[in-house]
Amino acid sequence: MSQAASHAESSAASHDESHAGGHDEHHGPPWLAHHFDTPAQQFDAAKLGMWAFLAQELLFFSGVFVAYGIFRSWYPEAFSTASHQLDRVMGAANTIVLLFSSWTAAMAVRSSQLGKKQQTTTLLLITIACAFIFLIVKYFEYQHKFHAGLLPGKYFGHPVDGGLFGAIPAGHGHTPHLAPKAHIFFSLYFVMTGIHALHVIVGIGVLFWIVKRNASGEFSKEFFTPVDLVALYWHLVDLIWIYLFPLLYLID
Amino acid sequence: MGAATTTVPRAQPHHPDPNENYLKAERGIMSWLVTLDHKRIGIMYLISVILAFAVGGAFALGVRLELFSRGRTIMDADQYNRAFTLHGVVMVFLFIIPSIPAALGNFILPIQLGAKDVAFPRLNLMSYYIYVFGACFALYSMVNGAVDTGWTFYTPYSMRTASSVIPMVLGAFIMGFSSILTGVNFLVTVHKLRAPGQTWTKLPLFIWGLYSTSIIQVLATPVLAITLLLLCLERFLGLGIFDPKLGGDPVLFQHFFWFYSHPAVYIMIVPGMAVVNEIIATFTRRAIVGYMFVAMSSLALALLGFLVWGHHLFVSGMSEYATMVFSGLTFLVAIPSGVKVFNWVATLYKGSIRLESPMLYALSFIFLFTIGGLTGLFLGMLAIDVHLHDTYFVVAHFHYVMVGGTVMGFVGGLHYWWPKMTGKLYSEGMAKVAWFLVFIGFNVTFIAQFIMGSRGMPRRYYDYLPEFEIFHKVSTIGSWILGAGFLTMLAMFIISLKSGAKSTRNPWGSAALEWQTPTPPPLANFIKVPTITRGPYDYHLATEEELSEQ
Ligand code: HEM
Ligand SMILES: [Cu+2]
């Protein structure tokens, strides 16, 4: 983290008077934006911005976490019986996949810092592959819930045939034997994992974009900020799952 | 995500001269639509929020006109519900929240920091288009049947009404992201892009206000976002989270909603206060008394704002203990607000006051905000709120805060920075006439509402008892005077654009940094990166040249 550490107080970093006298001519590297004076200042700004953005993401999820806490305390039995309907093996597998992908993302930052372009690409592609595995596992989990009628809210107890995209209610209210209000658990399950999955999908898009930029040689030992930031984002996606998994799958 | 993608490609060869004034540096409509210059983005926001204000104002006048006499006047009850909802939604989400930070702040904040731009120019442009995109959703909802829930979208009604809730709520959701991204951008800009010598204690108070606002924008808005998303899903899927029929809790929605919307009150008011600081310092030629207290009171308001949301739910079913805690916390907010008012008054005392139009708005702000704030204490008092809740007293209270506060701050700031933004002067005589109409019209409109509210006139009612008729008539006539005031102001600004005299660099003789650069500012904000050696209000240290009108 040489860039970050060496310039904690970059905002006060002196403007380079030698070329501040009227012309916007920069002699800095091509990736240095015109309104920054030093690479360190630009790096710190990007990083602070990302942290603020991630704080915002956490607060976004906090809403559903609060809702979960309230309804769990109201309907403990429903939540307990409903959580047994989730597939812990699949959930655990996905947890491992995400943890591993977070590690490869971190390694990608490291290799990018060392200027190892090819290795960075490989590591990022592994991260992306893990993200796809995660989504595929989720697909099968969802599929199973759809067949069993474990659906959110008013669709609860109405099994759906024909896969995820042919969502036609079938059968007549064959409610699984769960405590009343179990449908709220499944509402929260689908909302929380759904929003999380959306973050995974966005992450895949951004990761691909970074892979492309890396392949075209945009990054170097001196400039690897975007790799760093996408890894931070990916850690957040991982972190949120680390909370979701025990809350939804494990707690009795 | 957005924040990650912030390296702006370096200016292309043949890029415009950074020393050319920003209005002329590039030409053509496209150069505006894809600009990364914070000043131009600020101007685009300015035009958009003024348009929104006009739309919201038209609905306001319609609502008032309907209430002019009893029974049906110009619309039926259903249309009335839609009209006041649209008025509220447009004013809150499209006008007040972005008005000062995104429009004035975008223009002024980097210049006051001595920076060339905000930290993430591309993100800034993106925020603007997200705002426009969200506004389109709101517009779509308006033409597609509109919404009749009130701007608060309370469940369970908002889950059941046949009106077009989903596009409107999605619109608010999207505009929320614009607000968050602007907040992130400003936070980072203040932290990382201050000019050499611009220490935290030399920051203009406008910056302190926007900085505090940004914290609220980043921390509160996401909670609104998830709430609105859940509401949409509730309508689609019947989640049961807010739906009492399915075991959910409709009051949970109110908790979530006010966890955002009370802090949002400070997104509206803190920037207004921040503008007032700048105006008062300039028009008294004095340093704001108690700089650090005023700066810290912005932060205190931002943080306290998160703790008091429960005062909106006193009568919605909460434990007695909780209501008492929320009532007590609510009073704490009076402390930082009081600190500001006292410091302004102390600054005015012995200052050589010049009563030019920006100053008239700043003084109006203090006067009206004080009334709004004190009536807020009534509402924070548990026992009194049970009587006043959802009456016109509340309507008058929040208009004193939002119009008397934000709108006065916004309009005052617009007058104050107009010469810097456009390079043109406006007719001071006409500005004073407009101010007079606005001030009188506003008070006539809303004092009548305080009185009828305290006598029990409920808000959001289509019709009323005979004893309220006189107050409604007075209030409606007041709204016409107010409307005439804003129209006069609009005409004045248009005339100024067309044929206003050229402004000098520092027409008010201010010591603040943004007045030291040419008018209008060059593309790079300063011809030479400034080194800051004194505070923005250190009139005794400022040189004659700095304060001169040339
Ligand atoms: C011409 C001046 C204005 C008039 C005559 C006016 C009038 C009204 C009226 C009659 C209501 C409906 C009250 C009810 O039925 O409960 C209302 C609500 C509201 N107004 Fe205004 N208003 C004006 C300006 C503004 C401005 C400038 C703002 C914001 C900047 C604003 C924000 C609101 C909000 C947030 C509501 C609440 C809507 C709701 O209950 O859902 N108003 N206003
Ligand atoms: Cu409040």
Side-chain angles (χ1 to χ4, degrees):
Chain A
M1 296 277 91
S2 57
Q3 291 184 51
S6 58
H7 287 275
E9 76 307 8
S10 70
S11 63
S14 69
H15 281 66
D16 198 348
E17 291 295 339
S18 64
H19 59 265
H23 292 286
D24 206 29
E25 296 302 319
H26 257 275
H27 306 293
W31 39 264
L32 182 64
H34 81 285
H35 58 297
F36 289 111
D37 298 311
T38 61
Q41 188 190 23
Q42 174 168 325
F43 177 79
D44 288 355
K47 198 117 180 186
L48 182 63
M50 195 63 192
W51 278 108
F53 182 78
L54 296 182
Q56 174 281 132
E57 286 287 304
L58 272 180
L59 278 146
F60 182 75
F61 275 95
S62 75
V64 270
F65 282 122
V66 168
Y68 175 92
I70 290 170
F71 287 111
R72 196 190 150 73
S73 73
W74 282 12
Y75 310 123
E77 212 201 323
F79 272 52
S80 163
T81 53
S83 85
H84 283 298
Q85 301 296 313
L86 302 187
D87 192 325
R88 288 181 181 186
V89 177
M90 288 204 189
N94 256 349
T95 308
I96 293 167
V97 168
L98 267 197
L99 278 172
F100 177 72
S101 71
S102 214
W103 179 72
T104 54
M107 292 309 288
V109 180
R110 173 111 200 97
S111 69
S112 186
Q113 262 175 335
L114 298 174
K116 296 181 183 162
K117 184 174 133 190
Q118 191 48 50
Q119 195 183 359
T120 309
T121 301
T122 314
L123 285 162
L124 287 175
L125 286 175
I126 297 175
T127 311
I128 293 174
C130 289
F132 274 111
I133 295 174
F134 179 90
L135 289 178
I136 291 166
V137 172
K138 267 264 82 77
Y139 173 83
F140 284 113
E141 276 193 83
Y142 276 16
Q143 185 83 320
H144 169 254
K145 305 276 167 325
F146 276 56
H147 282 307
L150 300 169
L151 289 166
K154 68 181 177 198
Y155 295 104
F156 186 70
H158 296 282
V160 171
D161 281 331
L164 256 188
F165 305 105
I168 313 140
H172 317 281
H174 162 262
T175 315
H177 291 288
L178 299 175
K181 312 292 185 237
H183 60 92
I184 295 190
F185 177 87
F186 287 100
S187 291
L188 285 168
Y189 167 79
F190 278 104
V191 170
M192 292 167 114
T193 56
I195 297 175
H196 178 264
L198 208 63
H199 279 74
V200 173
I201 293 169
V202 169
I204 290 176
V206 180
L207 280 162
F208 265 124
W209 181 50
I210 298 295
V211 167
K212 195 175 140 271
R213 290 175 65 183
N214 181 58
S216 68
E218 248 186 74
F219 307 136
S220 61
K221 275 184 201 166
E222 285 73 40
F223 179 63
F224 53 84
T225 313
V227 185
D228 203 359
L229 298 188
V230 74
L232 269 181
Y233 172 79
W234 196 250
H235 296 328
L236 180 91
V237 172
D238 184 27
L239 180 79
I240 287 170
W241 179 258
I242 304 271
Y243 282 102
L244 290 181
F245 175 57
L247 279 183
L248 293 171
Y249 291 74
L250 298 183
I251 297 178
D252 264 327
Chain B
M1 298 292 298
T5 63
T6 50
T7 42
V8 179
R10 292 195 54 219
Q12 302 302 311
H14 310 299
H15 64 91
D17 179 359
N19 290 334
E20 175 87 67
N21 107 40
Y22 83 101
L23 292 168
K24 295 208 182 118
E26 289 171 277
R27 288 181 186 280
I29 183 87
M30 271 324 275
S31 75
W32 280 83
L33 294 180
V34 300
T35 182
L36 297 180
D37 178 12
H38 69 97
K39 298 183 284 303
R40 289 188 165 202
I41 295 174
I43 299 283
M44 294 202 290
Y45 264 116
L46 191 64
I47 295 168
S48 311
V49 299
I50 289 174
L51 272 175
F53 186 72
V55 173
F59 283 117
L61 292 174
V63 166
R64 256 339 315 162
L65 187 59
E66 167 53 38
L67 295 169
F68 186 70
S69 44
R70 296 178 59 214
R72 184 188 160 118
T73 312
I74 55 163
M75 48 179 121
D76 62 32
D78 209 38
Q79 291 165 331
Y80 171 82
N81 287 347
R82 289 164 209 254
F84 81 69
T85 300
L86 291 182
H87 165 65
V89 173
V90 169
M91 284 302 192
V92 170
F93 294 109
L94 277 84
F95 172 69
I96 306 200
I97 291 184
S99 64
I100 298 179
L104 299 180
N106 240 321
F107 196 101
I108 297 298
L109 176 130
I111 307 185
Q112 284 194 334
L113 289 171
K116 289 200 189 92
D117 207 327
V118 291
F120 311 123
R122 238 198 261 167
L123 188 69
N124 200 14
L125 185 65
M126 197 168 111
S127 309
Y128 175 72
Y129 282 112
I130 293 175
Y131 165 81
V132 172
F133 186 56
C136 288
F137 271 76
L139 203 69
Y140 171 75
S141 162
M142 278 185 216
V143 297
N144 183 39
V147 191
D148 60 358
T149 59
W151 75 279
T152 48
F153 311 118
Y154 273 5
T155 53
Y157 183 68
S158 55
M159 290 153 24
R160 309 225 189 291
T161 168
S163 63
S164 125
V165 172
I166 288 180
M168 185 60 93
V169 162
L170 283 179
F173 174 87
I174 295 166
M175 284 183 272
F177 274 97
S178 159
S179 182
I180 291 172
L181 295 179
T182 303
V184 168
N185 217 336
F186 284 4
L187 277 181
V188 177
T189 307
V190 174
H191 270 275
K192 299 293 174 196
L193 284 179
R194 302 192 309 277
Q198 181 71 287
T199 59
W200 285 91
T201 53
K202 287 200 185 95
L203 284 183
L205 288 163
F206 185 59
I207 305 266
W208 273 108
L210 289 183
Y211 180 76
S212 309
T213 308
S214 301
I215 294 178
I216 315 175
Q217 284 175 300
V218 173
L219 296 184
T221 319
V223 179
L224 177 75
I226 187 75
T227 310
L228 297 180
L229 195 64
L230 286 174
L231 176 59
C232 284
L233 291 173
E234 187 80 73
R235 274 183 77 102
F236 271 133
L237 301 174
L239 290 184
I241 290 177
F242 299 134
D243 189 346
K245 218 170 63 189
L246 293 171
D249 181 7
V251 178
L252 182 64
F253 179 88
Q254 296 187 24
H255 279 285
F256 280 169
F257 182 84
W258 287 108
F259 184 81
Y260 164 75
S261 290
H262 189 85
V265 170
Y266 298 97
I267 299 180
M268 306 172 192
I269 201 75
V270 172
M273 296 168 153
V275 171
V276 167
N277 284 315
E278 301 298 309
I279 296 178
I280 289 192
T282 296
F283 289 89
T284 54
R285 280 212 175 209
R286 276 191 89 193
I288 295 288
V289 174
Y291 170 90
M292 247 359 230
F293 280 101
V294 178
M296 289 303 129
S297 65
S298 292
L299 279 179
L301 278 177
L303 300 179
L304 279 175
F306 282 100
L307 304 178
V308 303
W309 79 89
H311 62 211
H312 296 271
L313 287 87
F314 284 155
V315 299
S316 303
M318 262 199 292
S319 75
E320 274 172 35
Y321 182 67
T323 53
M324 271 151 50
V325 171
F326 278 122
S327 184
L329 286 171
T330 299
F331 290 120
L332 291 182
V333 173
I335 299 171
S337 312
V339 164
K340 298 223 188 229
V341 173
F342 287 129
N343 283 289
W344 291 328
V345 173
T347 311
L348 292 172
Y349 180 71
K350 279 192 181 166
S352 51
I353 301 175
R354 288 178 295 163
L355 280 184
E356 277 160 279
S357 48
M359 187 62 169
L360 290 174
Y361 285 105
L363 295 177
S364 309
F365 178 103
I366 299 176
F367 180 75
L368 302 175
F369 173 73
T370 305
I371 297 177
L374 291 177
T375 50
L377 287 181
F378 292 21
L379 296 171
M381 229 173 285
L382 198 45
I384 298 181
D385 184 59
V386 173
H387 174 67
L388 293 175
H389 185 82
D390 271 352
T391 65
Y392 263 81
F393 190 91
V394 175
V395 177
H397 154 71
F398 70 65
H399 281 89
Y400 264 85
V401 174
M402 296 198 297
V403 184
T406 321
V407 177
M408 292 301 139
F410 172 70
V411 171
L414 189 58
H415 282 75
Y416 178 59
W417 283 306
W418 181 266
K420 181 59 60 180
M421 292 173 158
T422 64
K424 298 279 177 75
L425 296 175
Y426 51 81
S427 151
E428 183 63 23
M430 209 167 160
K432 286 201 168 110
V433 172
W435 168 80
F436 183 76
L437 291 174
V438 166
F439 187 78
I440 298 296
F442 176 81
N443 281 297
V444 171
T445 308
F446 293 104
I447 285 177
Q449 297 190 8
F450 270 130
I451 301 172
M452 66 175 136
S454 63
R455 297 186 184 181
M457 170 73 214
R459 74 191 276 202
R460 296 185 176 174
Y461 273 37
Y462 174 61
D463 208 352
Y464 47 83
L465 296 171
E467 61 257 42
F468 294 120
E469 181 147 8
I470 178 71
F471 299 112
H472 277 294
K473 285 212 161 26
V474 170
S475 183
T476 301
I477 291 169
S479 74
W480 297 337
I481 304 174
L482 183 55
F486 281 117
L487 284 180
T488 313
M489 189 190 304
L490 186 66
M492 175 202 85
F493 280 133
I494 291 174
I495 293 172
S496 157
L497 278 185
K498 285 205 145 153
S499 55
K502 209 168 165 304
S503 168
T504 52
R505 177 180 55 83
N506 190 1
W508 314 117
S510 170
L513 187 57
E514 74 270 25
W515 298 103
Q516 309 312 325
T517 190
T519 289
L523 189 58
N525 289 346
F526 293 92
I527 292 180
K528 188 174 185 308
V529 176
T531 301
I532 283 76
T533 51
R534 55 161 180 79
Y537 314 118
D538 288 338
Y539 279 86
H540 60 290
L541 297 180
T543 63
E544 272 310 309
E545 192 229 334
E546 279 174 332
L547 298 179
S548 83
E549 308 210 346
Q550 294 313 304

